[in-house]
Each structure stands twice: as structure tokens, then as C-alpha cells.
């Protein structure tokens, strides 16, 4: 390993085909670049390669606050975003705790970039992913350090991107299922295989831990209600998960509706980790995207699988 981990900004200008003068955010970009992705760069042995683990900040309005047909008054208020997409943001924070020691121990074969992408929803329209993808293709990518100095990473080859988008809602129609959705090409398929193998390792570990005396007869985790007299939940079994590899032409793949599609379109190998997506459920882009719809046990398992996959790709001699 050479260098130290550091938090940097990927600063860029919001460019649009049409004017949006009613948006202060758009107006601020007329004079100078005002948008940014936030990146934690974790160094590996080969600084010329990187694996990306990305989430996003959601800019969607709450449907039941904005839409008059749903009782709204056209207030452009973002959702609380417990699932979309703070569930993934928490996964990136936990990933840092696991990847930084691997970096210090010299075990990362290449850099890892933990990237918090901005403006995924309308009107941003995958704003952060598009800016990052464009800079990668054009070979112009530069970060800005906290002291304002530039970091030229235009020569770094991104070997793969793992996008996490909504990983905390365990759908009722098919419990304990999540999707591993690769982009186009064999390189993306190889990343999906790594994710599948990480899923199998998690399930083996869960089964082993559940054989322990104190968990042998434990059931699923129980949701505990808030109240003045809170007590810890009873011991529960670790949750095995079923990850389905949904290739890009699979109708149930949600890659097309995420930042992952942007990277696939520009030829960057990519895999999407996402819950068993249901666009019509309560808690999606509305006032109910709160902890009331989060399955913490499911989210923890999916987080572990995603982190294991990223670590595996970052430590491998070849991807």
C-alpha cells in the first residue's frame, strides 16, 4: 500500500439541455461547478486500479406530498429515505470499517472508492453517476482534496462498480430475496458471480452460527414496537438470503432504473445490489419511507454480502 485513505470531492457542473431557472441548485451551476460526489479513497497496492462501491443521495419528491391526485399540494419535499437510500449509505459506512484494516494490512490488491453519488432521481436524473461515468470515459477524472488541492486519478482504471440501491425492505411477496443485477458484458457477469459466491458464503456462515446452543431453537428476528419501556429483542437466528442473478434482459432486473444503468451504458463493469423491488409498495418515494418499513435483519445480511463481494474483488489478483 502507498498513500493514506482520504475523503475527496468529485466536483462538476450540472449541465442540462434545457434551462431550469426555477431551481436554485441549477442556477448555482451557471457561474461555477457546484455539484459533487463524495468519495472515500482507500488505497491498495496497485494505485492504477480501483473497485467502486456506490450509493446515492435521493432527490425524489414525496409522491403523497407533491401529487394533488394523492392529496398533495405540489410541495417539492424529499422523502426521509430510510430505504431509498440511507439503507445503502449505512452499508458504505460499515464497508469502510472493514476495508480500511485490509488496506493497512496491505491486503487490497487495488484501491477501493466508496462513492456517495448525488442527484439520482429527477430532476437530477443520475446526475452524479453520469458525471463520474463521463469523466472515466474521457480520461479527465480529478478529485478535490479537503485542502482544495487536486487529485489526478485520470489514469486509474475502474475494474468494477457495485451499486447499492434500496437494500432494507423485505418484500412480502417473496421473502428474503434480493437481486444481483449485472450490466452488459462478460466483465459484469464475472462481478455477479463474485456476488453469488459471497451470498453462498454468507448463508453457510449463517447456518453455522445458527447451530450454536443459544441460537439453535431461535426463530426469525421480531420487530419491536417503540414505547416508554423498551426491552432488547429475544435472540434470533441469522437470516440466510436468496440472491437472484437477474441479467439485463430479465424483466425483473431493476438495473435500468438505477445509477447502475449509466455505468453499463459507458462500458464500465457493474452489478446492482437491490431488494426484491416493488415500485407500487408503500414506503417508496412517499412519507412512509421510514424505519417502519425497514427489515434490519434482512438489511444486515444484504450489507454483509455486498461488503464481502467488494472486498473479494478488491483483494483478488485478477478480476
Amino acid at each position: 500500500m502507498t498513500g493514506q485513505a482520504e475523503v475527496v470531492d468529485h466536483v462538476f457542473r450540472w449541465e442540462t439541455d434545457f434551462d431550469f431557472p426555477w431551481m436554485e441548485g441549477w442556477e448555482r451551476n451557471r457561474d461555477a461547478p457546484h455539484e459533487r460526489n463524495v468519495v472515500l479513497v482507500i488505497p491498495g497496492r496497485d494505485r492504477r486500479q480501483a473497485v467502486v462501491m456506490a450509493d446515492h443521495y435521493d432527490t425524489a419528491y414525496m409522491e403523497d406530498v407533491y401529487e394533488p391526485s394523492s392529496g398533495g399540494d405540489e410541495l417539492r419535499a424529499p422523502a426521509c429515505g430510510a430505504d431509498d437510500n440511507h439503507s445503502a449509505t449505512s452499508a458504505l459506512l460499515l464497508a469502510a470499517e472493514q476495508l480500511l484494516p485490509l488496506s493497512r494490512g496491505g491486503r487490497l490488491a487495488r484501491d477501493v472508492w466508496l462513492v456517495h453519488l448525488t442527484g439520482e432521481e429527477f430532476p437530477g436524473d443520475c446526475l452524479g453517476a453520469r458525471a463520474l461515468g463521463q469523466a472515466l470515459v474521457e480520461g479527465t477524472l480529478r478529485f478535490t482534496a479537503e485542502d482544495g488541492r487536486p487529485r489526478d486519478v485520470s489514469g486509474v482504471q475502474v475494474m468494477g462498480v457495485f451499486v447499492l440501491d434500496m437494500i432494507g425492505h423485505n418484500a412480502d411477496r417473496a421473502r428474503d430475496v434480493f437481486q444481483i443485477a449485472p450490466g452488459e458484458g462478460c466483465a459484469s457477469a464475472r462481478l455477479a458471480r463474485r456476488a453469488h459466491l459471497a451470498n453462498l458464503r454468507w448463508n453457510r456462515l449463517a447456518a453455522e452460527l445458527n447451530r450454536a446452543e443459544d441460537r439453535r431453537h431461535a426463530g426469525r428476528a421480531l420487530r419491536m414496537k417503540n414505547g416508554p419501556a423498551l426491552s432488547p429483542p429475544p435472540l434470533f437466528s441469522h437470516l440466510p438470503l436468496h440472491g437472484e442473478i437477474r441479467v439485463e434482459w430479465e424483466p425483473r432486473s431493476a438495473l435500468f432504473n438505477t445509477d447502475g444503468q449509466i455505468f453499463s451504458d459507458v462500458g464500465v463493469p457493474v452489478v446492482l445490489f437491490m431488494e426484491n423491488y416493488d415500485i407500487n409498495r408503500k414506503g417508496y418515494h412517499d412519507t412512509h419511507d421510514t424505519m417502519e418499513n425497514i427489515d434490519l435483519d434482512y438489511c444486515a445480511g444484504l450489507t454483509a454480502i455486498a461488503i464481502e463481494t467488494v472486498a473479494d474483488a478488491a483483494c483478488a489478483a485478477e478480476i
Side-chain angles (χ1 to χ4, degrees):
M1 183 191 79
T2 59
Q4 294 182 329
E6 65 174 338
V7 177
V8 295
D9 290 331
H10 171 218
V11 181
F12 60 92
R13 185 192 300 271
W14 186 2
E15 301 284 0
T16 61
D17 293 329
F18 305 98
D19 292 348
F20 295 98
W22 53 272
M23 287 191 291
E24 293 182 9
W26 183 87
E27 284 282 4
R28 284 197 294 264
N29 283 269
R30 297 316 96 205
D31 297 327
H34 195 77
E35 306 305 319
R36 67 197 61 229
N37 297 317
V38 181
V39 185
L40 172 59
V41 177
I42 302 176
R45 296 191 301 273
D46 187 349
R47 306 304 307 274
R48 299 168 299 175
Q49 294 184 354
V51 170
V52 173
M53 182 180 187
D55 76 322
H56 72 262
Y57 174 75
D58 212 330
T59 49
Y61 309 150
M62 288 185 284
E63 185 266 343
D64 52 350
V65 172
Y66 178 79
E67 292 290 348
S69 60
S70 299
D73 59 4
E74 298 188 348
L75 176 66
R76 299 184 180 97
C80 292
D83 189 29
D84 191 8
N85 196 27
H86 292 320
S87 60
T89 302
S90 65
L92 262 66
L93 295 173
L94 291 169
E97 295 182 356
Q98 303 302 317
L99 294 168
L100 286 168
L102 294 178
S103 175
R104 285 193 295 269
R107 296 176 62 185
L108 295 182
R110 54 193 56 83
D111 284 10
V112 176
W113 297 350
L114 302 182
V115 183
H116 187 52
L117 296 165
T118 189
E120 189 253 3
E121 285 287 351
F122 179 84
D125 191 24
C126 299
L127 181 63
R130 291 182 189 277
L132 180 57
Q134 180 176 348
L136 289 173
V137 170
E138 295 177 348
T140 58
L141 185 58
R142 285 169 176 77
F143 296 147
T144 302
E146 290 184 287
D147 60 7
R149 291 185 293 179
R151 297 285 190 268
D152 186 350
V153 290
S154 59
V156 177
Q157 180 182 6
V158 170
M159 307 300 292
V161 176
F162 296 95
V163 172
L164 280 66
D165 190 340
M166 298 194 300
I167 60 170
H169 181 260
N170 195 353
D172 291 332
R173 71 179 188 278
R175 300 292 285 171
D176 310 332
V177 172
F178 72 96
Q179 58 180 299
I180 301 168
E184 184 176 0
C186 58
S188 293
R190 287 194 293 268
L191 296 182
R193 181 176 184 273
R194 288 186 182 275
H196 170 66
L197 295 176
N199 184 184
L200 296 182
R201 289 194 292 274
W202 165 258
N203 288 348
R204 286 196 297 269
L205 176 62
E208 177 183 343
L209 295 175
N210 289 338
R211 286 194 292 270
E213 185 63 33
D214 58 347
R215 293 184 188 268
R216 188 173 300 168
H217 302 294
R220 293 178 69 100
L222 300 176
R223 178 174 291 276
M224 308 299 290
K225 293 184 179 180
N226 289 331
L230 296 178
S231 59
L235 198 66
F236 52 85
S237 297
H238 294 283
L239 185 66
L241 297 177
H242 179 63
E244 296 182 347
I245 296 181
R246 300 177 182 177
V247 293
E248 57 180 336
W249 57 86
E250 155 69 63
R252 294 177 301 153
S253 169
L255 181 77
F256 73 96
N257 201 32
T258 71
D259 286 324
Q261 186 66 57
I262 306 304
F263 295 107
S264 179
D265 286 346
V266 298
V268 177
V270 63
V271 159
L272 168 70
F273 286 103
M274 185 184 255
E275 64 202 27
N276 195 18
Y277 183 59
D278 180 3
I279 195 172
N280 295 315
R281 69 173 175 86
K282 182 178 74 171
Y284 177 69
H285 291 177
D286 59 26
T287 53
H288 297 282
D289 191 359
T290 62
M291 291 300 295
E292 69 173 292
N293 285 305
I294 298 297
D295 184 328
L296 291 174
D297 201 25
Y298 173 87
C299 188
L302 216 170
T303 295
I305 292 166
I307 294 173
E308 169 75 7
T309 305
V310 172
D312 179 54
C315 293
E318 296 183 358
I319 298 183

